[in-house]
Amino acid sequence: MFAIMEAARLEALHLAQDPVTGLKAIIAIHSTKLGPALGGCRYLAYPDDISAMRDAVRLAHGMSYKAALAGLDHGGGKAVIIRPPHVDNRAALFEAFGRVIESLKGRYITAVDSGTSSADMDCIAQQTRHVTSTTSAGDPSPHTAMGVFAGIRATALARLGSDDLEGLRIAVQGLGNVGYGLAEQLHAAGAELLVSDLDGGRVRLAVEELGAQPIAPEALLSTPCDILAPCGLGGVLNSHTVRQLHCAAVAGAANNQLASVEVADELEARGILYAPDYVVNSGGLIYVALRHRDESLVAITSRMSQIGLRLTEIFAHAQADKRSPARVADDLAERLLYGN
Ligand code: NAD
């Protein structure tokens, strides 16, 4: 366990259980150097406890990098609640989790993630104020989509010489909360949409409402396009899939798109510009962090507008150093977090 923590440079790992409600929770606090650790809470079944712990550690690490490059005074954290096969009272389980968060005295602030909802956050809020994305705070997904749209424009500018998306062929993989909102904005900007989702209903909607061209999920990555926007699951870019790509750039919402950082070098070698995922998809985090502090929508929008500028800066460094933007972003984040 300590080897895993050390490898991720994790500050603290908290385990909590409550036999009455069935709660089994792991809270990974990667860093509080820049401020309280902020990051979502997953509620999923895991094959074993170690897999759950690894998930929390990996995600907390990513949240620190995302918060640092978004200029937020927060560190990264993530919670995982191991979903029991059966739960009598979901509200009581999340309230018990709220008491665990309260015991950390503000070192970790939680939010919605896979398997949790704003209603769950409301239950947590009964016990602690260190929670965001409650029903009243609102869903971060539209803000993530806005940030990704800005990121795609910055990517088009760097790779294709203009941030005008009119007529560009943009392939969107995954039309969920973020992907569909992004597709709407791309359509409004005049882009030609190529879309896929495992849910045929989402694809039909995009065809009818946005004039999108449907692509089978297994064919999307190899479909010729200007920009590929992965907005489904992570890990889509690996040595095998990178060879199939027919695009000038990749910029999308999915977390952990690269199977490993070496894949970023392979993209670079193929002349495909990669926009680091945790910079592109930071709009939701910016929203929840600033909303938690009751900042105005104007302040939030102004902070979000920096996503494109930050990317442009990263692309310029990467071009000057002839390195992948993914490596440049990691270096920048590590300098902020560790001062090296
Ligand atoms: P979601 O679950 O609402 O949507 C994901 C969609 O992708 C689903 O419709 C699913 O059917 C589809 N999908 C999954 N695998 C696919 C595949 N191989 N091919 C085609 N479609 C596929 O999730 P979301 O909230 O829209 O988030 C999308 C991604 O963005 C996730 O990786 C998430 O971690 C990341 N992200 C989300 C937010 C946010 O604010 N929601 C913030 C940062 C990052």
Side-chain angles (χ1 to χ4, degrees), residues 149-150 152-158 160-170 185-192 226-227:
F149 179 72
I152 287 179
R153 287 188 55 187
T155 305
L157 179 65
L160 306 167
S162 165
D163 65 359
D164 184 357
L165 305 183
E166 176 97 45
L168 286 193
R169 282 168 65 86
I170 304 187
Q185 293 176 62
L186 294 171
H187 173 64
E192 193 184 320
D226 295 299
I227 297 178

Side-chain angles (χ1 to χ4, degrees), residues 40-43 81 90 94 111-121:
C41 165
R42 292 199 156 178
Y43 181 60
I81 299 178
R90 182 171 171 130
F94 278 93
V112 164
D113 204 300
S114 306
T116 56
S117 65
S118 291
D120 297 325
M121 299 303 118

Side-chain angles (χ1 to χ4, degrees), residues 112-137:
V112 164
D113 204 300
S114 306
T116 56
S117 65
S118 291
D120 297 325
M121 299 303 118
D122 291 349
C123 296
I124 294 172
Q126 306 272 338
Q127 305 294 330
T128 183
R129 64 192 169 84
H130 305 301
V131 54
T132 66
S133 47
T134 53
T135 315
S136 63

Side-chain angles (χ1 to χ4, degrees), residues 30-39 59-77 276 278-283 285-286 289 293 303 306-307 310-311 313-314 328-340:
H30 178 261
S31 169
T32 54
K33 185 181 167 212
L34 301 176
L38 172 61
L59 293 163
H61 180 265
M63 291 307 291
S64 278
Y65 282 49
K66 192 185 293 198
L69 284 199
L72 297 171
D73 41 9
H74 279 286
Y278 59 82
V279 181
V280 177
N281 71 17
S282 59
L285 180 68
I286 292 170
R293 280 185 240 151
R303 181 64 72 94
Q306 290 169 17
I307 292 176
R310 177 60 69 134
L311 267 178
E313 215 175 87
I314 290 169
V328 170
D330 282 358
D331 283 357
L332 284 173
E334 282 161 18
R335 218 168 295 149
L336 290 165
L337 287 167
Y338 312 122
N340 56 1

Side-chain angles (χ1 to χ4, degrees), residues 42 66 113-114 139-142 144 173-179 196-199 202 217 230-234 236 253-255 281-282 284-285:
R42 292 199 156 178
K66 192 185 293 198
D113 204 300
S114 306
D139 179 6
S141 304
T144 304
Q173 182 188 48
L175 295 166
N177 291 324
V178 179
S196 77
D197 198 291
L198 304 180
D199 175 350
R202 306 291 297 172
C231 298
L233 295 181
V236 285
N255 278 316
N281 71 17
S282 59
L285 180 68

